[in-house]
Amino acid sequence: MEAIKLTTLYSFVLEKLYGLMADKAVGNMIHYAKDEATGLNRYFRVEFDSRFVDLEFDGVLPEINFDNVQLVDESKFEFLQVIQRILPLEKLRFTGFSLLNIKEITSSYVIEKIKNIIVNLSPGQFVYDDISKSLKELLGNNSLDVGLMPVLKVNDKLVVNCVEDVNEQLVATCEKYKLSMDKYMSAIDNYAKNPQIVFRKNVSEVLDGENDIFPILRTMGVEGLIVLPIYFQKQLVGVLTIYSKEKDALQEQMLSALEPVIPLLEQLLQTSIDDFKIVLDNTVKEKFTFLQPSVEWRFNEVAFDYLQQKERDKKAEVQEVHFRNVYPLYGAVDIRNSTLERNYALRADMVHQLHLCITILEKLKKEKELGLTNEIIFKAKRWLETINDFISSDDEFQLNLFFEDEVKPYLQHFTAQYSTAAIAT
């Protein structure tokens, strides 16, 4: 906070004394306050208006060369230390008055926060709870239950994925109200076949032709419900559900408030689906040999069951795959455990190449100390840790890129620039 105040102050000083125009955002601060009625945060932008402030400097105004000054986040605090020595506060005299303009920006701030969460998403990172909390802030009601469910399928059948806790809330809800998970999933599956926007202020009222999920919601004590299907490139990727156990808690304007975040949720849900498919595909490749397309469906099911069991028991083992009462029309020879043996050989080969890479680069360091050499050595050692126990198909692909795009060009450049007998050795 002290640094922000000083940044605001010296931006004003440099503008008044040297005519150096600062970014208009400099001096603006974001504050939040908890709304006592809802228990949620509301966000405000405080803008500093200095039009009615005059400034005088005690003594001869120092000359400053601003040609190379750029107040970026990484350097502005260092710049503040320098400018305070050149223009100490005790030599500055302010007269007049300033204004503070306070504007609520809860909606735009929360949307930007959701955007930052999704843009900076790391593989395997669970952000659905953060998104749900942010949506509550956007809607301004803490009593709402907000859920976001990606449409994950195995062999075109809707499934609940516990691997990354994506549907943890769904499982917890069924356990809390002693509901049948199969019945709940069947109701959601029926909705997914014919998705549409649902806005019900009074769920207790029974309507003709309503979805099977409404009796379940009444069992849970739900009074109001909003269901929004989320599409990505015209494909259903998820469902946003908002329900309340308080009467008249849902308002029509909530739909328009949610409209700006829908494109962001589309991207998040599609990313979850893509990650799920990658995990499932890697599991099949790791545990089984090369598969014919006609039988992949069965191995996908077994791999999914294995991932679910592994989440509960780290020692879980993959089931054997049997096709009962199925007789092949032709026979073929396969090598037992060929996939595992290939993975072992591949990992050993990659480990050997990484050790050679590190050894060569360590020798090059003695010939010519370059920062990039240390960086590539660091990455190579990190790769050794990554593939210590197992190497996936994605690891293989990324590691080959590392050798092709980073190691090889660097060695060629080094050889061209610093060719010596030591390098040849």
Side-chain angles (χ1 to χ4, degrees), residues 106-267:
T106 299
S107 179
S108 59
Y109 182 83
V110 171
I111 292 172
E112 192 64 27
K113 184 165 69 169
I114 292 174
K115 183 188 298 183
N116 289 334
I117 291 174
I118 295 173
V119 168
N120 298 311
L121 186 65
S122 302
Q125 183 182 0
F126 181 63
V127 297
Y128 280 76
D129 281 346
D130 295 333
I131 298 292
S132 295
K133 291 174 184 175
S134 295
L135 290 176
K136 285 184 182 182
E137 291 179 338
L138 183 65
L139 298 173
N141 192 328
N142 201 23
S143 66
L144 301 177
D145 242 303
V146 180
L148 193 58
M149 177 182 176
V151 176
L152 304 177
K153 292 185 177 182
V154 175
N155 301 332
D156 291 328
K157 181 181 178 183
L158 199 66
V159 296
V160 177
N161 176 32
C162 298
V163 176
E164 297 175 355
D165 299 327
V166 172
N167 299 119
E168 189 178 49
Q169 185 182 24
L170 186 65
V171 176
T173 300
C174 288
E175 292 177 350
K176 180 179 179 180
Y177 295 100
K178 298 180 180 178
L179 302 173
S180 166
M181 176 62 74
D182 291 339
K183 188 175 181 180
Y184 201 113
M185 289 301 297
S186 176
I188 296 175
D189 193 32
N190 290 334
Y191 172 83
K193 292 174 182 176
N194 184 28
Q196 52 190 287
I197 296 175
V198 177
F199 185 89
R200 292 275 296 270
K201 283 188 175 182
N202 186 8
V203 172
S204 59
E205 180 184 354
V206 181
L207 301 179
D208 294 336
E210 65 183 15
N211 189 284
D212 295 339
I213 203 168
F214 283 96
I216 298 174
L217 295 174
R218 294 186 188 105
T219 302
M220 296 163 56
V222 173
E223 292 287 344
L225 173 70
I226 296 177
V227 182
L228 295 177
I230 310 294
Y231 294 88
F232 183 81
Q233 296 180 351
K234 299 182 180 181
Q235 295 292 323
L236 182 70
V237 292
V239 180
L240 173 63
T241 58
I242 302 168
Y243 66 82
S244 173
K245 295 184 180 180
E246 297 180 359
K247 289 186 177 181
D248 302 322
L250 301 183
Q251 304 297 328
E252 285 81 357
Q253 57 264 34
M254 289 181 174
L255 295 175
S256 58
L258 290 168
E259 191 172 337
V261 302
I262 296 301
L264 302 175
L265 301 182
E266 292 173 6
Q267 187 61 56

Side-chain angles (χ1 to χ4, degrees), residues 265-282:
L265 301 182
E266 292 173 6
Q267 187 61 56
L268 173 64
L269 291 164
Q270 183 60 46
T271 300
S272 295
I273 293 172
D274 292 340
D275 289 347
F276 173 73
K277 289 179 179 178
I278 289 173
V279 171
L280 191 65
D281 185 56
N282 286 342

